Amino acid sequence: MSDLTKLTLAGARDALKKKDITSAELTGAYIAEVESGAPLNAYVTVTAEKAMEMAKASDAKLAKGEGGALEGLPLGIKDLFCTKDVLTTASSHILDGFHPPYESTVTANLWRDGAVLLGKLNNDEFAMGSSNETSYYGPVVNPWRRKGDDTKLVPGGSSGGSSAAVAAKLCLAATATDTGGSIRQPAAFTGTVGIKPTYGRCSRWGIVAFASSLDQAGPIARDVRDAAIMLRSMAGHDEKDTTSVDRPVPDYEAALGQGVKGLKVGIPKEYRVDGMPAEIDALWSRGIEWLKAAGAEIKEVSLPHTKYALPTYYIVAPAECSSNLARYDGVRYGLRVEGRDITDMYEKTRAAGFGAEVRRRVLMGTYVLSAGYYDAYYLKAQKVRTLIARDFATVFADVDVLLTPTAPSAAFAIGEKTDDPLSMYLNDVFTVPVNLAGLPGISVPAGLSSDGLPLGLQLIGRTFDEETLLKAAYAVEQAADFKAAPEAWWKA
């Protein structure tokens, strides 16, 4: 591994500004790492030539003392974000050959600030999955392994390519999306930091849609500071997205290090679920002690409708996905399988283009939206969603942030849960309530399992109060002092 790729995003930014290194040198080092990291299957498209062009343009700006907040910094982009003239597939066969004629707002913001595109990162097909095993391009492999065991592990999903690439140092940081935990759970599985901002904080325009009322873009990075830097560039109001909120973007990095003395931290009792591994519970207890020692006030709180969050999510999300994915029909772009007539062509294209998990969710969504079942399932789920959001609002009248585990286990083996959808869906038990309520949440690496795998703690904040969330996350990060890293077995 190049010494250059050991730099954090903040460290690389400062080194570029001091002219200690050039973006071309840094980008070249990352391109070499991406090539050697091929066994991880984190990238589905590598844009090496484009990256070097962008790096040289950044060096020209930096030489004049100019440049944006991310000038010359090489990033990976989840394949859900449309990138102009660069293959964008959502890791689905049905979008084969799609080169968008436009740029997503989030990636446009990154290029505006000078970032460099290394390539597009693998994800679960249309972001539907918790392990990055549903991708048309095959599963992503977690760079971490259990102690004394060569079994390949999942990196979490759906943003598994993003989390694996950041953990293996195949990019400085990456964009990701979170519909029910798809930023935070992969971060927990790979020892990285992932923040899902408040719904409406980052534009969804140009991001391939899964469930429009739940999807939100955010970064996966190596530490809390890097995540704060990335979020400031990604966030902002966008008139092209009617769910984008028009409010100023704070300097999130400036919030770090302010301390948490006097901060009220809620511990939701409903998150102590049956069968939770002892090591997850012990980590949670350590997190509570860390914050208490830093001067925070700890208070047990109740979110009584939490137990309904997972079934509510798996009604709302498939319902919205069945509507969003109706646009993929083989007529205008992507895969087309010819048929006897247009209906036959639709059916054959969708059957060939969508994987098993996507078909499962489309069928579930179509069912709950159908006549006779709409009131019984979808309408009821929306009412429960309102109650879940109300629980959080009540609790946040008395506390500043909540502390919970991120995931109910460490990373599991590839193939271990593919035939058990219910077990797979339970990976999101601690994360989906945040999406249903539109709140910000962050996962911070806080310890290792008995097998030597990363475990994460989740902090949940008030709407548009990412500053307090990041401040608390930074305190947890400092106390945890997580320095472990995966061995680069993929280079052997």
Side-chain angles (χ1 to χ4, degrees):
M1 184 183 298
S2 164
D3 285 343
L4 289 178
T5 61
K6 292 178 182 176
L7 292 168
T8 62
L9 185 140
R13 172 195 64 182
D14 296 344
L16 284 168
K17 285 182 179 175
K18 291 175 186 172
K19 299 182 174 59
D20 292 339
I21 60 172
T22 68
S23 178
E25 291 169 342
L26 184 63
T27 301
Y30 272 105
I31 290 169
E33 291 298 320
V34 170
E35 289 174 359
S36 65
L40 299 176
N41 199 30
Y43 282 85
V44 294
T45 302
V46 178
T47 56
E49 288 186 17
K50 185 178 181 70
M52 290 308 297
E53 288 173 10
M54 295 173 84
K56 288 171 184 173
S58 287
D59 281 333
K61 287 183 182 176
L62 290 163
K64 298 176 189 173
E66 301 172 357
L70 300 175
E71 200 66 56
L73 300 174
L75 306 178
I77 303 297
K78 185 176 181 178
D79 201 30
L80 226 58
F81 292 79
C82 287
T83 40
K84 187 176 181 181
D85 299 327
V86 176
L87 183 65
T88 301
T89 69
S91 294
S92 177
H93 186 33
I94 208 161
L95 275 173
D96 270 359
F98 178 53
H99 292 76
Y102 53 88
E103 191 79 38
S104 81
T105 298
V106 165
T107 50
N109 289 349
L110 297 176
W111 314 147
R112 172 205 66 201
D113 284 354
V116 171
L117 170 65
L118 285 169
K120 306 299 287 291
L121 294 162
N122 204 344
N123 51 258
D124 278 303
E125 185 181 6
F126 283 103
M128 297 179 199
S130 302
S131 62
N132 217 143
E133 294 175 275
T134 71
S135 168
Y136 176 67
Y137 300 104
V140 176
V141 180
N142 194 326
W144 289 81
R145 286 182 168 180
R146 297 180 182 127
K147 284 189 293 192
D149 188 345
D150 291 342
T151 302
K152 291 180 178 178
L153 307 177
V154 304
S158 64
S159 307
S162 299
S163 65
V166 173
K169 296 181 171 56
L170 309 185
C171 59
L172 273 170
T175 65
T177 61
D178 193 310
T179 306
S182 289
I183 289 175
R184 291 157 290 154
Q185 183 249 27
F189 277 12
T190 56
T192 55
V193 173
I195 180 167
K196 174 236 173 263
T198 307
Y199 183 79
R201 179 79 278 187
C202 294
S203 171
R204 292 185 301 107
W205 194 86
I207 301 173
V208 178
F210 164 13
S212 300
S213 74
L214 299 163
D215 298 344
Q216 187 60 194
I220 291 179
R222 295 186 201 172
D223 60 27
V224 174
R225 184 173 301 280
D226 286 2
I229 294 166
M230 279 284 288
L231 182 58
R232 189 182 188 191
S233 287
M234 293 173 69
H237 179 239
D238 180 10
E239 292 181 352
K240 298 191 291 293
D241 175 6
T242 56
T243 62
S244 173
V245 176
D246 188 4
R247 43 191 304 163
V249 179
D251 182 353
Y252 296 119
E253 188 181 5
L256 308 183
Q258 292 178 3
V260 293
K261 192 170 183 180
L263 200 73
K264 292 181 180 177
V265 179
I267 310 299
K269 62 182 182 181
E270 288 80 9
Y271 279 57
R272 296 192 184 279
V273 296
D274 292 340
M276 184 163 70
E279 60 188 10
I280 300 289
D281 193 45
L283 182 76
W284 193 7
S285 296
R286 283 202 299 276
I288 293 168
E289 292 306 316
W290 290 335
L291 287 171
K292 191 185 294 183
E297 180 185 331
I298 307 298
K299 182 174 183 179
E300 185 176 79
V301 297
S302 178
L303 298 166
H305 294 93
T306 294
K307 61 184 176 182
Y308 304 116
L310 211 57
T312 298
Y313 173 84
Y314 278 103
I315 291 172
V316 174
E320 294 186 12
C321 109
S322 72
S323 296
N324 277 325
L325 269 60
R327 71 193 68 173
Y328 303 105
D329 52 17
V331 174
R332 289 151 293 183
Y333 45 77
L335 180 72
R336 176 186 293 201
V337 180
E338 297 298 342
R340 296 184 308 276
D341 53 34
I342 192 165
T343 301
D344 191 43
M345 186 270 285
Y346 285 164
E347 291 173 353
K348 286 180 175 174
T349 298
R350 290 168 68 80
F354 290 146
E357 182 60 30
V358 172
R359 293 199 299 271
R360 179 186 289 121
R361 297 197 193 197
V362 168
L363 287 169
M364 286 166 59
T366 304
Y367 176 79
V368 301
L369 290 175
S370 60
Y373 298 103
Y374 180 89
D375 289 353
Y377 293 106
Y378 184 71
L379 198 60
K380 191 171 288 184
Q382 291 289 19
K383 290 177 179 177
V384 176
R385 182 180 185 174
T386 300
L387 294 175
I388 291 167
R390 192 178 298 166
D391 284 350
F392 279 111
T394 301
V395 162
F396 278 122
D398 199 32
V399 299
D400 300 300
V401 294
L402 302 173
L403 178 72
T404 78
T406 306
S409 71
F412 48 88
I414 291 174
E416 188 176 316
K417 299 187 179 185
T418 48
D419 295 328
D420 187 355
L422 184 57
S423 176
M424 188 74 82
Y425 295 167
L426 285 169
N427 276 286
D428 304 327
V429 65
F430 298 133
T431 53
V432 294
V434 174
N435 298 78
L436 290 168
L439 300 171
I442 188 170
S443 179
V444 181
L448 294 173
S449 72
S450 57
D451 290 332
L453 298 177
L455 298 172
L457 286 174
Q458 175 181 229
L459 287 144
I460 303 167
R462 295 189 182 100
T463 53
F464 298 103
D465 191 14
E466 283 84 359
E467 287 170 287
T468 300
L469 186 69
L470 286 159
K471 183 169 65 174
Y474 186 74
V476 169
E477 180 181 68
Q478 295 297 299
D481 195 29
F482 186 87
K483 294 283 195 285
E487 294 180 10
W489 55 264
W490 57 92
K491 294 186 178 183

